Amino acid sequence: MQVVVGRIGRAHGIRGEVSVEVRTDEPDRRFAAGMQLTGGRRTFTVASTRKHQGRLLVRFAEVPDRTAAEQLSGTLLEVDIDPAATPEADGEFYDHQLIGLVVQSDGVNVGRIADVQHRAEQDLLVITKADGAEVWVPFVSELVPEVDVAAGYVVVADRPGLLDPAGAELVEGEQR
């Protein structure tokens, strides 16, 4: 099974380094020298990594110069994992473990997780409700206090407008 661990950004310098938008909680493991990553139909071998102004810069053995690096912008980087594997850190999950879980709120099944979106600000759970509507819930412990992969569900602490955007309370002076 493939999991996304990063996305190649801009080329950096003239020696083929690229910036990488990290999409894993294990960057030291996933971008270690010698690690092989898949990007599209290509395989990349990590030659070196370093931090520069808060960004991860990676040099791949197969990318000799800036010209080659510039052509990779936007490429998703993936690694093969055992489908039964779990992240090393407690409270961390692979997307495939979450997709399909039942979403409960106040003891009621309200839908299922359809996707996980990784944003710069935070991860979002895309939930398809029983009525077919789609809502996005920030994947933070205040809003998703319980995840039980083995039992097949997550608990969402409903807030006004979170699971029912039409039912959001208006702030004084706002209009719909």
Side-chain angles (χ1 to χ4, degrees):
M1 167 168 281
Q2 296 262 302
V3 295
V4 174
V5 294
R7 182 179 163 275
I8 296 177
R10 298 173 54 159
H12 180 84
I14 61 171
R15 294 189 176 97
E17 281 185 311
V18 294
S19 63
V20 173
E21 176 189 321
V22 176
R23 294 190 181 174
T24 176
D25 291 328
E26 305 169 312
D28 294 337
R29 176 180 173 199
R30 300 302 184 191
F31 294 99
M35 191 68 181
Q36 290 202 324
L37 307 171
T38 303
R41 296 177 188 211
R42 296 180 63 182
T43 299
F44 298 99
T45 305
V46 176
S48 65
T49 60
R50 66 186 176 105
K51 299 265 179 157
H52 177 70
Q53 296 180 347
R55 296 184 303 164
L56 181 67
L57 298 180
V58 180
R59 189 173 57 79
F60 296 109
E62 299 79 8
V63 183
D65 56 31
R66 182 178 184 90
T67 302
E70 287 174 340
Q71 296 172 4
L72 300 176
S73 181
T75 301
L76 288 177
L77 298 169
E78 300 176 307
V79 296
D80 281 320
I81 64 160
D82 178 342
T86 58
E88 292 178 356
D90 286 338
E92 299 295 329
F93 308 94
Y94 290 126
D95 293 358
H96 72 273
Q97 294 175 296
L98 298 171
I99 294 171
L101 294 182
V102 171
V103 177
Q104 298 178 347
S105 184
D106 295 327
V108 176
N109 291 352
V110 295
R112 290 191 177 273
I113 297 175
D115 196 11
V116 180
Q117 295 288 316
H118 301 280
R119 303 295 172 111
E121 308 82 37
Q122 64 197 17
D123 295 336
L124 298 169
L125 298 178
V126 180
I127 299 169
T128 301
K129 294 176 44 180
D131 64 5
E134 182 178 276
V135 293
W136 294 32
V137 173
F139 192 23
V140 295
S141 60
E142 293 81 21
L143 297 175
V144 186
E146 185 178 349
V147 176
D148 192 332
V149 173
Y153 71 91
V154 300
V155 173
V156 172
D158 195 15
R159 302 286 191 273
L162 183 65
L163 293 174
D164 182 14
E169 295 177 13
L170 291 177
V171 175
E172 190 172 323
E174 281 188 353
Q175 295 180 9
R176 280 199 191 184

